[in-house]
Amino acid sequence: MRTIAAPPPAQLMVHAGLALRSALAAVAGTEPSRLGRAAAGAAYLDLWAGDRLLRADGGNHSAVARFLLPRLLMESVDTLSVLLGAQAQRNTGPGAAYREHARWLHQAMWHPDHRARLDAVTARLDGPPTGEDRLARPLTSVRPAALPLDLHALLDELERERRAVVGACALAPADASPGIWALADRYALLTAAAACLDGWRGTGRGRRITTDRDRLVAALSRLAIRLGLEPVAPDTELSAALFDEAVAHCRRPTVPARTAPAAARRLVGA
């Protein structure tokens, strides 16, 4: 029986973005709980990190994006149920639309090609990263003295992890094993962290640079948590700012309405 191809990462980004829009539409005009606001901010951060990864690592052809984004986006979209509350179970309106997009992401995560996606990443671990591989060089070229303290500490942790992954790649077993799968996960998460950092110089003044830095710190913290590292805990003010960014993001023009149904048909094999 022919296996229906999994949707490309960019289509999963569409589903995750529309799930966030649906969740925010469901609570429009209300005052969400602190946890609900944090969930919306986290979903926005994962979308931002996913966009950076697609831009930096080859778009839909990126083995890392095809492997990592289904899980990251599914996790953050699932968490949006905290924001929706009982509305997530309604059969009409934004709650129903949210459930549909979440379902598509779940199906993508467990698509029959998930082992092939993993194998495509492990193929990049045959020896330490070299050449154009993003992990062949430090995560950032910005001098430590130029970094804010919270970002400096976080990057120290991530850079130590990058060096550990580079060393582990040199000793990675040739055959498939839980060890190589765990290494592939660490490699993919660090590649996403590097993509978030690419192009960031931390220069300039005013609200824009503060917003960029706060978004970067929060996105890297989410990746650090997934790596088992110590994150920078966002304060109440930052969490509120991230929720406001999520709302502003969802007010911008989105993809054509026909894109999401087309992606859904490919996903379910219609």
Side-chain angles (χ1 to χ4, degrees):
M1 184 173 64
R2 184 172 65 90
T3 300
I4 302 299
Q11 290 293 346
L12 297 185
M13 293 282 289
V14 170
H15 290 309
L18 291 173
L20 176 58
R21 288 170 188 267
S22 299
L24 289 173
V27 298
T30 68
E31 184 61 32
S33 68
R34 180 179 60 83
L35 289 177
R37 293 167 71 89
Y44 163 71
L45 288 171
D46 283 349
L47 280 168
W48 182 79
D51 179 70
R52 301 287 294 184
L53 177 60
L54 287 173
R55 291 171 183 266
D57 199 60
N60 283 327
H61 299 291
S62 166
V64 170
R66 297 185 73 87
F67 166 68
L68 189 64
L69 285 187
R71 175 165 60 89
L72 261 59
L73 297 175
M74 184 188 75
E75 287 175 356
S76 58
V77 165
D78 275 355
T79 307
L80 287 173
S81 61
V82 175
L83 174 66
L84 281 153
Q87 293 201 59
Q89 304 307 316
R90 293 185 178 175
N91 293 325
T92 59
Y98 159 79
R99 281 207 320 279
E100 280 297 291
H101 294 299
R103 178 174 65 85
W104 295 333
L105 288 168
H106 275 268
Q107 289 179 326
M109 174 63 191
W110 302 114
H111 189 276
D113 79 342
H114 69 272
R115 176 58 187 269
R117 282 183 269 145
L118 172 60
D119 290 344
V121 175
T122 60
R124 291 170 64 164
L125 308 181
D126 185 15
T130 58
E132 294 300 314
D133 193 302
R134 184 59 181 82
L135 298 191
R137 61 186 189 276
L139 293 176
T140 179
S141 59
V142 178
R143 293 180 295 107
L147 296 171
L149 288 179
D150 53 358
L151 186 55
H152 189 184
L154 182 56
L155 283 178
D156 272 350
E157 290 254 14
L158 290 169
E159 183 58 29
R160 280 194 292 270
E161 178 70 2
R162 184 195 69 85
R163 291 195 294 267
V165 165
V166 169
C169 285
L171 304 173
D175 57 335
S177 67
I180 193 68
W181 298 334
L183 181 60
D185 195 56
R186 293 164 65 198
Y187 171 90
L189 288 165
L190 283 167
T191 300
C196 290
L197 282 158
D198 280 346
W200 190 85
R201 293 292 178 267
T203 57
R205 292 161 51 177
R207 176 174 172 77
R208 175 61 183 271
I209 189 61
T210 301
T211 299
D212 289 348
R213 184 191 68 206
D214 289 346
R215 184 198 301 117
L216 177 63
V217 170
L220 291 177
S221 289
R222 284 185 61 74
L223 294 170
I225 290 170
R226 287 154 167 153
L227 283 161
L229 305 177
E230 191 67 29
V232 176
D235 56 26
T236 302
E237 184 177 348
L238 176 55
S239 293
L242 289 172
F243 177 79
D244 291 342
E245 274 209 60
V247 172
H249 170 78
C250 289
R251 285 176 177 162
R252 299 183 192 118
T254 186
V255 295
R258 63 181 180 274
T259 302
R265 288 195 294 273
R266 281 197 293 274
L267 190 54
V268 301

